[in-house]
Amino acid sequence: MTATQAEQDATELSVDDLQYVEDLVRNKIAVQLTGKGYLIESRLAPVARLHKIGSLQDVVRQLKLRSNRQLEADVIDAMTTNETSFFRDRHPFDVLAENVIPRLLEANAGGPIQIWNAACSSGQEPLSIAMILSDKFPQLVAARKVRILATDVSPAMVDRTKRAVYSRFEINRGLPADYATRFFQQQGRDWVARKELSEMIDARLLNLIEPWQGVARADVVMVRNVLIYFSPQVKRDILHRIATQVLKPGGFLFLGASESPAEMDNDYQLVTAGASRLYTTKNGA
Ligand SMILES: C[S@@+](CC[C@H](N)C(=O)[O-])C[C@H]1O[C@@H](n2cnc3c(N)ncnc32)[C@H](O)[C@@H]1O
């Protein structure tokens, strides 16, 4: 066997091994990886290096023994897609500030406002919420009447959300220049969110397919670009739990640009705000 062939063998998994990883990830975090063999292999490679395991087959062999919990956790973490940016799609944040928050303040006589940002990735999304509310509602924020719970299943992402440290590249993706100077401090090559911003955000680990311990009733739930990774049944279940367990009557749900709770007619109704689509629970409309 040539060296090249040996290297190739170390980085390629059999159909059975791929199936094992697919099942593991689906069972633990509901993310579906069917037909994404290349993605699984490319994401397993750094985990193999981290754990000093010589081949991907050996990684799967060890996973099957179910004795190395850290390896299993690292594999699952590696299979999450964490793509995000500041003010992603922009308009939901404008609608939040211009439409949703004024409506909520009118309804509940000035606050407080509780927001749950589920699947927050590395923190740009909850920080975008915190920035636009600090900008447009300074008195509300100064009175500590806005709380943002930011959750993700990935320990690495929750850690990043807590640290709130970003590279120049990340800062340049979607963050207006005046917000960068106003809300971040430059430290060497990095940019760190100012304390008053981070203090609005409570970042925690939370798996959307497990019980939602510690999630308070919320006026706004933002759960964007994560349901796309789940089966229709899991997506339905999560949306139903948000409507019945989390959203306060008259509260609002934001989904990603390509997502809708279409099959959730019993729980939600569409609210049109400018060009944006968001949802409110039927009981609270
Ligand atoms: C593509 S990012 C979306 C980030 C952000 N919401 C946005 O729209 O920019 C998807 C996030 O969902 C998280 N995720 C995947 N499965 C999850 C689960 N079962 N429970 C909670 N979060 C999950 C991933 O860790 C990842 O950070």
Side-chain angles (χ1 to χ4, degrees):
M1 190 187 290
T2 63
T4 319
Q5 183 66 47
E7 275 167 22
Q8 189 177 344
D9 286 350
T11 58
E12 278 185 9
L13 289 175
S14 67
V15 172
D16 281 356
D17 281 352
L18 282 173
Q19 189 64 52
Y20 184 85
V21 178
E22 263 177 58
D23 291 346
L24 175 73
V25 174
R26 189 183 327 97
N27 290 336
K28 294 286 181 181
I29 63 169
V31 168
Q32 302 190 107
L33 296 166
T34 313
K36 296 189 177 159
Y38 173 74
L39 190 82
I40 294 175
E41 287 166 348
S42 64
R43 288 179 175 181
L44 274 185
V47 182
R49 281 198 295 279
L50 180 72
H51 285 262
K52 301 191 172 23
I53 302 174
S55 73
L56 298 193
Q57 294 95 316
D58 282 341
V59 171
V60 178
R61 221 165 276 141
Q62 288 205 26
L63 285 176
K64 286 177 178 169
L65 293 175
R66 312 229 46 198
S67 56
N68 189 341
R69 301 295 285 267
Q70 192 56 51
L71 177 68
E72 185 177 289
D74 289 344
V75 165
I76 290 163
D77 202 342
M79 293 302 150
T80 59
T81 299
N82 309 120
E83 166 64 19
T84 191
S85 57
F86 288 104
F87 293 98
R88 184 173 185 177
D89 303 331
R90 184 68 219 193
H91 60 85
F93 301 94
D94 292 333
V95 167
L96 179 71
E98 287 161 18
N99 192 305
V100 167
I101 299 292
R103 280 204 217 184
L104 290 169
L105 291 178
E106 203 180 300
N108 78 358
I113 306 274
Q114 179 72 35
I115 299 173
W116 180 26
N117 181 200
C120 64
S121 190
S122 36
Q124 287 91 328
E125 192 167 53
L127 283 169
S128 301
I129 299 171
M131 280 184 275
I132 200 154
L133 297 192
S134 298
D135 187 14
K136 308 289 182 195
F137 301 91
Q139 286 165 344
L140 195 70
V141 169
R144 296 177 178 268
K145 283 189 171 176
V146 180
R147 298 300 314 157
I148 304 168
L149 172 65
T151 63
D152 201 281
V153 76
S154 158
M157 292 301 115
V158 173
D159 186 52
R160 284 212 60 197
T161 302
K162 283 186 179 157
R163 287 192 297 118
V165 177
Y166 299 93
S167 66
R168 172 172 287 282
F169 173 74
E170 288 169 321
I171 289 290
N172 284 341
R173 289 189 67 202
L175 188 60
D178 58 322
Y179 273 22
T181 46
R182 185 168 154 196
F183 292 115
F184 286 78
Q185 269 174 321
Q186 215 174 337
Q187 282 183 5
R189 296 158 75 97
D190 293 328
W191 295 66
V192 186
R194 288 186 187 277
K195 205 161 134 257
E196 54 268 34
L197 221 53
S198 305
E199 279 176 355
M200 294 169 68
I201 301 170
D202 178 12
R204 286 193 231 156
L205 260 185
L206 184 136
N207 186 343
L208 283 166
I209 62 164
E210 286 178 0
W212 299 342
Q213 269 149 14
V215 176
R217 300 289 292 202
D219 302 283
V220 175
V221 175
M222 200 178 265
V223 53
R224 303 193 310 147
N225 305 303
V226 62
L227 301 177
I228 41 170
Y229 299 105
F230 301 155
S231 71
Q233 180 54 47
V234 170
K235 177 183 162 183
R236 255 196 304 277
D237 180 52
I238 290 170
L239 288 171
H240 183 64
R241 286 164 73 200
I242 291 173
T244 53
Q245 296 174 20
V246 181
L247 270 179
K248 293 182 192 169
F252 293 91
L253 169 73
F254 285 86
L255 298 174
S258 62
E259 300 165 319
S260 80
E263 61 273 49
M264 295 301 303
D265 286 344
N266 292 335
D267 285 326
Y268 294 98
Q269 67 184 23
L270 180 68
V271 180
T272 313
S276 276
R277 293 153 66 87
L278 62 155
Y279 304 89
T280 189
T281 50
K282 280 199 169 158
N283 58 3

